[in-house]
Amino acid sequence: KALELEMSIVYNGASRMHHADGSVVHHHSLGADEAAVVVTRLREQVAGVHLGLETPQGWFLDEPFFEAGKARLEARGMPLPDGVGPIEDFLSKGAIKIFARHPERSVPAMATTVEDLRVYATWSGPGLLEIMHPDVNKRDALERLCAELGIDREAVAAFGDNHNDVQMLAWAGRGVATANASAEAREAADEVTAAHHEHGVAVVLERWF
């Protein structure tokens, strides 16, 4: 099953893709109506929020988000979004991920505004809220892949550092969090290694192998 092993689980578990040809094996997306409810809720309850969207057709930013991040994208040589404008204009095909940023509101605070909706709200860093289909998370995607490949949970190692890694770290046979991980991630893990800048993942791999 060499081809299956050349895969990436992306979008916090929403999609799985082959490296060889970029094909998507499966993905969970919010429907257009569901995504519109999320966008409306954020606009109503988080004044001044910057919104973005990722879909199978590309990624899109509203004008404030684009203006705030354009220089950083260009400096890093990263591609610009496929469209800029009101996010509502790009929702017709639904959304793999809706993301939100605010110059003053914290990500956990923004997450509370959608906690009663059927969505998965998480974050991989301090500044960006990520909202996806309710069946999405890294643990479920990894568990599904391992079941297909006949790999027992006890044989799985996972490394993580933030809110979106918590379920995966708790499920894996050996969950490892970095020293600079969130408190939730460290608590879910079986062990804590050195921080990112101290090559924490390499420290563990070298000890194992």
Side-chain angles (χ1 to χ4, degrees):
K1 294 191 175 182
L3 181 60
E4 286 87 345
L5 295 177
E6 296 175 359
M7 287 184 180
S8 290
I9 293 172
V10 296
Y11 295 120
N12 290 317
S15 296
R16 194 197 314 159
M17 9 181 353
H18 286 299
H19 290 300
D21 58 7
S23 61
V24 175
V25 179
H26 82 275
H27 70 263
H28 286 300
S29 295
L30 291 169
D33 291 343
E34 297 166 310
V37 169
V38 173
V39 169
T40 298
R41 175 68 64 83
L42 288 167
R43 289 218 188 276
E44 289 177 347
Q45 298 196 16
V46 187
V49 67
H50 299 175
L51 292 173
L53 180 70
E54 297 198 41
T55 78
Q57 290 74 40
W59 70 295
F60 308 90
L61 296 177
D62 64 14
E63 196 73 40
F65 209 147
F66 179 65
E67 292 302 323
K70 180 181 178 182
R72 184 168 62 252
L73 290 172
E74 292 177 335
R76 295 179 179 178
M78 298 174 66
L80 296 179
D82 297 288
V84 176
I87 289 303
E88 293 83 348
D89 293 349
F90 306 114
L91 289 176
S92 63
K93 301 295 185 182
I96 296 176
K97 177 167 66 176
I98 297 168
F99 47 96
R101 186 187 299 277
H102 194 278
E104 297 174 359
R105 295 280 294 273
S106 73
V107 171
M110 286 194 292
T112 64
T113 67
V114 297
E115 63 186 1
D116 63 320
L117 302 180
R118 287 200 70 250
V119 295
Y120 172 54
T122 189
W123 50 93
S124 54
L128 194 70
L129 175 65
E130 304 169 43
I131 301 169
M132 286 151 288
H133 189 281
D135 293 337
V136 166
N137 69 64
K138 290 184 179 182
R139 173 219 161 126
D140 286 352
L142 183 58
E143 184 175 11
R144 188 181 304 112
L145 177 60
C146 288
E148 292 174 12
L149 297 175
I151 299 172
D152 293 335
R153 179 180 72 86
E154 291 75 16
V156 177
F159 295 81
D161 68 349
N162 223 305
H163 185 272
N164 62 333
D165 298 313
V166 170
Q167 297 100 325
M168 176 183 68
L169 290 171
W171 175 82
R174 192 67 181 174
V176 184
T178 57
N180 57 323
S182 68
E184 293 172 295
R186 294 196 307 272
E187 184 176 345
D190 297 296
E191 68 173 282
V192 177
T193 184
H196 291 106
H197 63 277
E198 297 173 331
H199 309 291
V201 175
V203 168
V204 174
L205 294 178
E206 287 175 354
R207 188 179 79 234
W208 288 349
F209 300 110

